[in-house]
Amino acid sequence: MNLGTITERLARNRYELDGVSHIEVDQEAARAAGLGPVLERICPAHVYSVGPDGLIGVLWAACLECGACLAVAPPGVLTWHYPAGGTGVLYRLG
Amino acid sequence: MTADADADVDFDVIVVGAGVAGCVSAFQLATAGRGVLLVERGAEPGAKALSGGVFYCRVMEQVFPGFVEAAPVERVITRNCLSFLNPSSFVNIDYGDQRLASPVNAVSVLRAKLDAWLAEQCESAGAMVMPGFRVDRLLIEDGQVRGIGAGEDELRCKVVIAADGVNSFVSRDAGLRSKDRTNHLAVGVKSVIGLDRAVIEDRFNLEDGQGAAYAVVGDCTKGVGGGGFMYTNLESVSIGVVLRLDDLKRRGASATDLHDGFLNHRFVAPFLKGGELLEYGAHLVAEGGLAMIRDLVKPGLVVIGEAAGLALNTGLTVRGMDLAAGSAIAAARAVDGALEAGDYSPATLGEYRQSLQECFVGRDMETFRRAPAFLEGTRMFNDYGPLLADVFHGVYNLDLRPRRHLLKTARAALRSSPVGWLDLARDGWNALRAL
Ligand SMILES: Cc1cc2nc3c(=O)[nH]c(=O)nc-3n(C[C@H](O)[C@H](O)[C@H](O)COP(=O)(O)OP(=O)(O)OC[C@H]3O[C@@H](n4cnc5c(N)ncnc54)[C@H](O)[C@@H]3O)c2cc1C
Ligand code: SF4
């Protein structure tokens, strides 16, 4: 069956957004750790993308709040916490 | 604890997280007449919940008699299928049994619905439920946990129950756990595919209202440690992959590619044909078994459910919800005793650890303590599927050459497999001990 692109899939989910990012990347540390490509592949929501300049872009609004990126990142490279209460993804099925 | 400190609390107990663990403990304590606040960061209870969805629910009868009839469950699981999946072949061990329907042993659930119902039961029992509230920190004074904080707000209580799930920032804040090793964690990527009720029953060969649970190993994860699952709901199928983070990272594999590859696998796609994607989500799952369980008690604090690392993947079953409920029952009993005694020290709250060890939760964690290490071996994921298929190919491929006995066929298959006799013997022995 046609699952659609990740963007199309996420568009079916409900999100409540407050405009505040809950993810920050220390670009220098991430580059040193070679973390960009790892994050690109591990994140099920394709939140991370490595640009031509090597900087990691963060589409935080798409986040499914699993915590996988934080778990694989060496300490200090990512600042990640849950979005503020009541915001973020809202599963209707789960 | 002094009488003063006891007097100026807002609640007897604050439970952080309205998942299965949090709701069960809040319900038990509210029913016992305690003042309970249940806080949940999601806009509604269940909004952040995601599970594969087979709930081994016998334990819930202890808390909510008539659970299966009253709660929003999907199907009664009477068929369990272990599937070794290869690119162009598969071998299934398919087990159906009506004994699993009476008494009901397991049901499929969709957690957004289930958790909302559980939180309602807590409210009816007298607990205050506060969704949309993210706990940012614990209030700790002289080593004693005295409440929770969120932004400017502070709420005080006698005991905090951390039921905030696998990432448990609350127990990290309390210094009860450091960062988990990535071989103890897996990421689950899941889709819910909508299909007609009758279509599901036809495709999965089910009686009305009954359901099937597939556990899949092999080609669904392209060798990455973990597996696939496919569970039937009333009018949808929950399907996805669970991928061990260390292996995913090491092999440079993409989580979404593996998820998509599984759903589009030639032997999986026909189950989903004509379906509609209803939801796509992801969640971590703890897989470290006993090795992951850390200290569960601190003055004024107990940790329950997956926040305590209580989850089990035996390859045949993924279990977390029943362990969450079991640990919540044990914790509620200990907290109630501590409130009775007015003593929130680890000595009194430690009763929780004791009864956890004695109930099915501690016993099963102990029984399956070798399962994670066994499943970390790669043969289970890569080599056994093709080996089994070769054995059966030898049996069924009647190519006009004279047939051989099954043992000889198996021997020939083993010779051309990377699995050696010794491996087979060792893995067989280890499987019997670990699983
Ligand atoms: C893909 C996948 C498949 C699975 N399959 C199965 C299965 O088939 N059967 C099974 O039994 N188990 C399964 N599990 C495991 C099971 O889902 C979990 O073990 C179980 O949900 C744990 O329950 P819990 O109540 O401890 O935690 P959770 O259900 O995670 O609940 C924690 C709650 O706390 C809230 N919370 C977190 N932090 C805060 C905070 N700071 N402030 C306020 N609230 C907070 C969360 O929003 C959430 O509602 C699976 C897991 C995954 C990911
Ligand atoms: S928490 Fe999960 S979904 Fe969100 S950015 Fe990290 S890996 Fe992606």
Side-chain angles (χ1 to χ4, degrees):
Chain A
M1 66 177 279
N2 181 14
L3 291 163
T5 63
I6 294 294
T7 317
E8 284 163 358
R9 287 176 218 182
L10 297 176
R12 290 167 177 269
N13 289 354
R14 242 176 85 201
Y15 287 92
E16 193 68 55
L17 299 173
D18 62 357
V20 184
S21 173
H22 61 290
I23 306 173
E24 267 165 54
V25 181
D26 180 332
Q27 297 284 356
E28 273 315 305
R31 194 196 304 263
L35 197 64
V38 176
L39 293 176
E40 271 185 325
R41 287 191 293 258
I42 272 182
C43 174
H46 294 189
V47 163
Y48 301 96
S49 55
V50 184
D53 51 1
L55 291 180
I56 303 173
V58 183
L59 254 176
W60 58 270
C63 178
L64 296 165
E65 299 165 36
C66 67
C69 53
L70 181 66
V72 299
V77 181
L78 274 191
T79 310
W80 188 101
H81 55 77
Y82 287 129
T87 72
V89 69
L90 269 133
Y91 291 121
R92 280 167 293 193
L93 301 169
Chain B
M1 168 154 246
T2 64
D4 282 357
D6 239 11
D8 100 74
V9 299
D10 303 296
F11 298 91
D12 291 329
V13 185
I14 297 177
V15 181
V16 185
V20 172
C23 287
V24 167
S25 65
F27 180 83
Q28 296 286 76
L29 285 161
T31 305
R34 305 297 177 184
V36 179
L37 173 69
L38 174 61
V39 295
E40 165 57 47
R41 71 183 183 90
E44 298 140 25
K48 303 293 184 186
L50 187 141
S51 188
V54 173
F55 192 170
Y56 300 89
C57 59
R58 291 276 268 279
V59 57
M60 294 302 267
E61 288 295 328
Q62 294 174 26
V63 186
F64 307 103
F67 173 78
V68 175
E69 289 73 38
V73 304
E74 297 287 319
R75 287 177 184 271
V76 173
I77 302 299
T78 52
R79 232 188 106 194
N80 291 279
C81 185
L82 172 64
S83 183
F84 292 86
L85 190 65
N86 308 316
S88 60
S89 63
F90 65 88
V91 177
N92 285 352
I93 298 170
D94 196 353
Y95 162 65
D97 197 329
Q98 286 304 322
R99 283 178 298 183
L100 296 175
S102 57
V104 172
N105 170 69
V107 290
S108 50
V109 296
L110 290 165
R111 286 286 302 279
K113 299 180 190 180
L114 178 67
D115 291 14
W117 181 86
L118 288 171
E120 269 169 35
Q121 308 311 304
C122 295
E123 216 149 30
S124 309
M128 182 171 165
V129 181
M130 199 154 71
F133 188 97
R134 182 192 67 195
V135 172
D136 294 334
R137 60 188 185 279
L138 291 168
L139 307 181
I140 304 178
E141 293 163 8
D142 307 325
Q144 177 94 23
V145 174
R146 296 206 189 273
I148 54 159
E152 310 272 273
D153 299 324
E154 293 195 341
L155 290 165
R156 303 179 72 84
C157 61
K158 298 171 188 167
V159 181
V160 172
I161 298 181
D164 54 336
V166 59
N167 286 314
S168 192
F169 291 101
V170 171
S171 53
R172 290 187 210 194
D173 192 36
L176 287 180
R177 72 191 264 199
S178 50
K179 196 168 160 163
D180 294 306
R181 298 218 303 269
T182 46
N183 65 340
H184 288 170
L185 288 172
V187 61
V189 189
K190 173 185 170 183
S191 289
V192 183
I193 310 290
L195 283 166
D196 280 348
R197 188 180 171 136
V199 170
I200 292 175
E201 285 165 6
D202 283 352
R203 283 187 192 168
F204 288 86
N205 194 8
L206 298 168
E207 285 181 30
D208 186 35
Q210 299 198 346
Y214 278 67
V216 187
V217 292
D219 198 40
C220 53
T221 60
K222 304 278 180 225
V224 173
F229 62 90
M230 178 163 66
Y231 304 148
T232 55
N233 303 312
L234 260 187
E235 299 189 307
S236 62
V237 172
S238 290
I239 181 166
V241 287
V242 173
L243 308 162
R244 236 177 48 224
L245 285 178
D246 60 328
D247 221 19
L248 192 59
K249 185 175 174 183
R250 185 171 54 234
R251 289 169 189 262
S254 146
T256 42
D257 285 355
L258 292 174
H259 166 274
D260 294 9
F262 177 47
L263 271 67
N264 288 316
H265 194 288
R266 66 199 318 157
F267 296 125
V268 176
F271 284 109
L272 309 176
K273 200 172 143 207
E276 183 199 358
L277 177 70
L278 301 179
E279 192 169 87
Y280 173 81
H283 205 282
L284 289 192
V285 56
E287 296 214 314
L290 200 61
M292 217 173 139
I293 299 198
R294 46 220 139 211
D295 212 3
L296 304 173
V297 178
K298 215 183 145 98
L301 176 77
V302 297
V303 187
I304 64 175
E306 217 175 339
L310 295 169
L312 268 175
N313 183 356
T314 66
L316 303 177
T317 56
V318 182
R319 289 172 52 194
M321 292 185 271
D322 60 323
L323 306 176
S327 67
I329 294 170
R333 205 180 299 130
V335 169
D336 192 48
L339 290 169
E340 203 56 51
D343 172 3
Y344 319 115
S345 66
T348 313
L349 289 173
E351 180 65 30
Y352 160 50
R353 202 185 296 115
Q354 190 70 28
S355 48
L356 192 67
Q357 268 157 14
E358 283 160 12
C359 78
F360 76 97
V361 179
R363 292 185 177 228
D364 287 2
M365 292 296 289
E366 173 64 25
T367 303
F368 295 110
R369 69 184 186 283
R370 292 196 182 94
F374 172 70
L375 293 171
E376 262 178 51
T378 54
R379 278 189 292 273
M380 180 77 177
F381 303 111
N382 293 324
D383 301 336
Y384 279 118
L387 173 62
L388 283 169
D390 285 352
V391 172
F392 285 104
H393 184 251
V395 172
Y396 290 106
N397 177 39
L398 299 182
D399 57 2
L400 303 183
R401 284 185 295 171
R403 292 296 87 196
R404 292 185 292 186
H405 281 301
L406 187 60
L407 183 63
K408 280 194 181 149
T409 311
R411 226 182 258 155
L414 198 58
R415 261 199 302 278
S416 58
S417 160
V419 183
W421 277 108
L422 255 177
D423 297 330
L424 192 65
R426 196 181 301 125
D427 288 348
W429 169 245
N430 285 337
L432 287 176
R433 289 196 317 157
L435 310 181

